[in-house]
Amino acid sequence: TGAPPSVHGIIENEWHDRKTNQRVYCCQPLRPYDLVPPLPPTAEKPSRGSLDGYSPERLLSPTVADALHDATKGKGRAFALSMKDRTAVLMGGQKPSGAYCFDTRDGRFHTGAFYGRDREHPWVREFNESKLADTWFDTKWERLRAVADYDRFAGPDDGLGEADGFNGQGHTFPHSLKGKLSAPAKKYYDALEGSPYGNELLAALAKKAVTAEGLGKGEAPDLLCVSFSSNDLLGHRFGPDSHETMDVTLRSDKMVGEFLKFLDEAVGKGKYTVVITADHGVCPLPERKAYPSAERVMVAEVVTGLEQALDAVYGVKGGWFEAFDGDVWPWLYLNRETIKGRNLDPDAVAGVAAQWLAGRGYIETAYTRKELEDGQFPPDQPFKKMAALAYRADRCGDVIAIPKPGVQVTTYKGGTSHGSPQPYDRHIPFLALGAGVPALGKRTDAVSSLAVAPTLAWALGIPAPKDAAVLPPEALFKK
């Protein structure tokens, strides 16, 4: 979208909806929509997402794909492909030509009935029926290069703080994908998408989209959005300094090179533009002590401690929160009705809560919604402006907590995550190459990730999405 969460509304993967008093998933539809093709009747609950299918209805800003549709009157096609539903849905926007994601319950790529289809595109059906996803069932994931390279650059294979892999995998190579299964099933598909082979599967679908749809050969420019989710899934389990993350990165580099060669042949050299970026970085495993303040803190410990502190301050026991847990962290949603019923001011209680959180040794600072709405952003509080860009009054909580460098406030005893304004979470690649892109080399100055969307729009020759907050990097346009 080129817009911050304060505008586009997707403040987290999940948030607490005060109107319905329910947890809401970012691409949960406003009414149920079937998956296309349908899942087998024996399918389990989804590993992530909602039971109601998916749609972009909770996204409040148009995407580049939407801008392309409007500017070309539908002649420019946009396809969004991913392993995860939310990435396909949110990249594709409201009117994509196709949005497809992988479902580990049946090992197939699906779209949703929201998009007006009762059958998947023929090339997707053909891809699913080829059973390419089953190809790696007997494969053991081994390192791409010599072990010594990994030890040198990433440290030990069994690093402190690593979580177990998928489907019974431990911390070390080699990693079996099938585990104890005798035939492909959900746990195998979980392991597949949590390995470099998930990327290979998605790349194969992306190539199929280009050839079957003739992308890049129509009367208007086309857009192909591909989100390689396997890197994220591995980063969560093993951390950024693991053998696994180094290996998937090396393989990703190789895969991108092969994809560029494919585009040279399928579309033609000089006839396409590529932008490579990411949605976030990741925190080093706290146990590796990359930062003096690094530690792992359980969310339950924070919740219990704050509740007891509020009990002590106000002399009333419990009932302070509508939502405060691992799903909505780092936001705290106060129970405003209960607080008002006690003749207390919710803003004052939020202030006490923020002060208590900021006083923990593992928390950098905390802000109340009132502070984020005051429009004051002192230079010595850079995190406040970042938090304000992530804040939307009708979806966010009453207090946001920002951990110190290297701290993970989590529900998991191993692995890591992201979601803070610390540099390691917001430092991402932004590479542009191809048709019309001048060879400027590496830029050393900071460039906002919000420049990605308008840069894509520029490459397509269309206006940027209407809520885009910044222009593309000025130097990109210098010939």
Side-chain angles (χ1 to χ4, degrees), residues 232-417:
D232 172 85
L233 295 167
L234 285 169
H236 278 287
R237 296 281 176 133
F238 300 105
D241 305 300
S242 62
H243 283 211
E244 289 81 1
T245 296
M246 180 172 169
D247 194 68
V248 76
T249 304
L250 291 170
R251 290 175 183 271
S252 296
D253 181 72
K254 183 171 180 284
M255 180 184 65
V256 169
E258 292 170 350
F259 196 74
L260 293 177
K261 289 179 182 178
F262 163 78
L263 290 176
D264 284 345
E265 296 173 2
V267 181
K269 288 186 178 182
K271 294 183 178 179
Y272 63 87
T273 306
V274 172
V275 171
I276 299 174
T277 187
D279 56 341
H280 56 73
V282 68
C283 179
L285 291 165
E287 290 77 6
R288 293 186 67 121
K289 295 295 181 183
Y291 298 89
S293 54
E295 66 173 301
R296 184 180 300 275
V297 180
M298 294 293 107
V299 174
E301 175 188 331
V302 184
V303 174
T304 301
L306 178 54
E307 188 168 55
Q308 291 174 348
L310 292 174
D311 289 349
V313 169
Y314 293 105
V316 186
K317 194 170 180 62
W320 298 106
F321 314 134
E322 277 191 355
F324 189 32
D325 54 41
D327 289 336
V328 299
W329 175 267
W331 292 101
L332 156 64
Y333 294 77
L334 290 173
N335 191 328
R336 298 175 184 172
E337 293 306 311
T338 297
I339 290 169
K340 290 177 182 177
R342 294 169 174 172
N343 293 318
L344 298 173
D345 179 5
D347 286 338
V349 175
V352 172
Q355 186 176 17
W356 183 89
L357 287 165
R360 303 310 94 196
Y362 48 83
I363 296 295
E364 182 90 37
T365 188
Y367 297 105
T368 66
R369 64 166 49 229
K370 192 173 182 180
E371 290 173 316
L372 296 179
E373 291 171 351
D374 67 14
Q376 303 299 311
F377 304 112
D380 62 343
Q381 295 185 43
F383 287 162
K384 184 179 180 185
K385 187 168 186 179
M386 296 178 193
L389 288 172
Y391 168 75
R392 187 174 176 90
D394 58 344
R395 294 185 176 182
C396 289
D398 300 281
V399 180
I400 185 172
I402 297 172
K404 286 186 175 179
V407 171
Q408 275 295 289
V409 180
T410 178
T411 59
Y412 296 103
K413 295 182 179 180
T416 186
S417 193

Side-chain angles (χ1 to χ4, degrees), residues 58-304:
R58 298 181 194 275
L59 177 63
L60 305 178
S61 294
T63 64
V64 176
D66 294 324
L68 176 65
H69 181 277
D70 293 345
T72 64
K73 295 181 170 57
K75 294 178 181 178
R77 295 159 295 170
F79 286 89
L81 312 175
S82 179
M83 302 302 279
K84 293 183 180 181
D85 56 7
R86 55 180 173 260
T87 38
V89 169
L90 299 176
M91 289 190 304
Q94 306 294 332
K95 297 171 282 192
S97 306
Y100 288 92
C101 57
F102 188 68
D103 200 306
T104 61
R105 292 174 289 178
D106 66 353
R108 290 173 172 260
F109 284 90
H110 298 258
T111 188
F114 169 86
Y115 301 104
R117 300 192 67 89
D118 56 9
R119 298 194 73 181
E120 68 271 47
H121 284 74
W123 53 270
V124 178
R125 187 182 320 123
E126 182 180 315
F127 187 88
N128 282 334
E129 290 173 355
S130 75
K131 297 290 185 183
L132 183 63
D134 297 350
T135 303
W136 297 275
F137 184 71
D138 291 312
T139 300
K140 282 192 174 181
W141 174 20
E142 302 273 8
R143 300 173 187 85
L144 185 65
R145 292 172 55 167
V147 176
D149 290 340
Y150 296 77
D151 289 336
R152 177 183 174 192
F153 292 108
D157 187 13
D158 193 4
L160 288 174
E162 290 186 11
D164 286 336
F166 299 86
N167 194 19
Q169 296 169 344
H171 302 167
T172 59
F173 280 99
H175 292 297
S176 168
L177 273 64
K178 69 179 181 181
K180 297 180 180 180
L181 295 172
S182 57
K186 184 180 184 303
K187 288 185 178 180
Y188 159 71
Y189 296 126
D190 286 336
L192 174 66
E193 71 169 6
S195 79
Y197 308 119
N199 284 343
E200 291 185 23
L201 177 67
L202 186 62
L205 181 66
K207 291 176 181 177
K208 187 86 169 177
V210 171
T211 54
E213 294 287 339
L215 297 181
K217 296 183 177 180
E219 57 180 299
D222 298 316
L223 175 66
L224 176 64
C225 300
V226 190
S227 175
F228 293 103
S229 311
S230 299
N231 303 58
D232 172 85
L233 295 167
L234 285 169
H236 278 287
R237 296 281 176 133
F238 300 105
D241 305 300
S242 62
H243 283 211
E244 289 81 1
T245 296
M246 180 172 169
D247 194 68
V248 76
T249 304
L250 291 170
R251 290 175 183 271
S252 296
D253 181 72
K254 183 171 180 284
M255 180 184 65
V256 169
E258 292 170 350
F259 196 74
L260 293 177
K261 289 179 182 178
F262 163 78
L263 290 176
D264 284 345
E265 296 173 2
V267 181
K269 288 186 178 182
K271 294 183 178 179
Y272 63 87
T273 306
V274 172
V275 171
I276 299 174
T277 187
D279 56 341
H280 56 73
V282 68
C283 179
L285 291 165
E287 290 77 6
R288 293 186 67 121
K289 295 295 181 183
Y291 298 89
S293 54
E295 66 173 301
R296 184 180 300 275
V297 180
M298 294 293 107
V299 174
E301 175 188 331
V302 184
V303 174
T304 301

